[in-house]
Amino acid sequence: MALPVLNDTNTGSESANTLTHTVNLPTIVNPNELLVVWMAFDGAPTVTWDNVTHGTWTSYIDTASGTACKLVVYAKVASGMEGGGTLDVVTNDSEQSVHRSVAIGNWQGTLAGGVNCPSATTGAGDSPNPPVATDSWGSVDRKTIAIEGCDGSQTVSAYPTDYSLNQLSDNSAGAEGVGLGSAGRDQSSAGSQNPGTFTISASDDWVAATFSIRGADLSSVPNPPRFRDLDYFKLSGESTRTFTNVE
């Protein structure tokens, strides 16, 4: 197998209350990559996702912590045409928002077999605690992303233990806004994950999620590369891709 790779990321926010929220997608998106967006809202609005501009997305999380904040997580298999694009997300109440989008390669390739995202947890305090992500994959190469959204434009001061990759803290920067934090962990031949807690800058309402991505099965690739150089090859049924630091 191969560890999933975060190839590109983008972010954005609405610092004033609005009914329309622009989501910035990664600048570079290759066909068949996994596109994931996590987005936090001040308050608990009804969220209408944009399934028109760049095709249909699958909802994994749409959870509020009371009426203080909401976290949504959406994903899709990329067509390759999404790079540099935007989505127009609509809320029924005028709120601030902040989001993070990522494009991930070297993954299993299907939402049904390559993604696991259990129900979100909610609470109040300064330690958002993402849920345990139990799956039936067994011991596989995987990337796990811990995510938190919190009321009040809080920032992240500490991330879950061992989640040292792509530690990101975003917020809407507006008064009475909303904060968003995330961090990743890559593991070879690993089982289900329990990330542990974030620490945010002040006690507030929060929602937390755990998003697991299964690595690609390279068994169908003849003589898989085992060097740390650039190589170009095709996975079965896919277009030519570039892999960096392959072992």
Side-chain angles (χ1 to χ4, degrees):
M1 298 189 72
L3 286 168
V5 177
L6 194 156
N7 289 328
D8 200 12
T9 182
N10 207 344
T11 188
S13 64
E14 303 291 349
S15 60
N17 289 343
T18 181
L19 296 172
T20 304
H21 307 257
T22 299
V23 171
N24 301 314
L25 298 176
T27 302
I28 300 174
V29 177
N30 297 307
N32 301 314
E33 286 183 332
L34 176 64
L35 277 178
V36 191
V37 176
W38 47 94
M39 188 171 189
F41 299 86
D42 184 35
T46 299
V47 177
T48 302
W49 199 254
D50 182 353
N51 287 313
V52 176
T53 306
H54 289 289
T56 301
W57 296 69
T58 297
S59 172
Y60 286 92
I61 299 292
D62 189 331
T63 302
S65 182
T67 59
C69 62
K70 173 175 268 194
L71 177 69
V72 302
V73 178
Y74 280 80
K76 74 184 293 279
V77 179
S79 68
M81 302 298 292
E82 299 90 348
T86 60
L87 304 175
D88 292 323
V89 174
V90 176
T91 54
N92 69 325
D93 291 328
S94 187
E95 304 287 2
Q96 296 180 36
S97 68
V98 60
H99 68 271
R100 174 67 59 173
S101 63
V102 298
I104 295 172
N106 285 15
W107 72 297
Q108 186 267 352
T110 67
L111 296 181
V115 169
N116 178 47
C117 185
S119 298
T121 52
T122 63
D126 64 358
S127 302
N129 189 10
V132 176
T134 301
D135 56 56
S136 59
W137 301 340
S139 183
V140 299
D141 292 353
R142 65 175 70 222
K143 178 185 288 292
T144 306
I145 303 172
I147 304 166
E148 66 83 20
C150 56
D151 192 28
S153 285
Q154 309 301 339
T155 57
V156 178
S157 58
Y159 295 85
T161 301
D162 296 324
Y163 281 68
S164 58
L165 300 176
N166 307 113
Q167 294 180 338
L168 301 166
S169 180
D170 305 301
N171 63 67
S172 65
E176 300 181 357
V178 64
L180 187 67
S182 57
R185 183 183 187 186
D186 287 349
Q187 292 173 284
S188 299
S189 301
S192 300
Q193 295 300 301
N194 183 9
T197 62
F198 292 85
T199 302
I200 56 177
S201 52
S203 180
D204 224 319
D205 293 280
W206 55 262
V207 185
T210 305
F211 196 91
S212 294
I213 304 150
R214 183 172 179 169
D217 181 1
L218 300 183
S219 61
S220 62
V221 179
N223 301 316
R226 306 194 66 81
F227 44 82
R228 302 185 65 80
D229 227 326
L230 292 179
D231 185 55
Y232 297 83
F233 65 101
K234 292 184 180 180
L235 297 180
S236 177
E238 295 187 351
S239 59
T240 302
R241 330 205 118 189
T242 303
F243 292 84
T244 306
N245 295 335
V246 178
E247 304 190 312

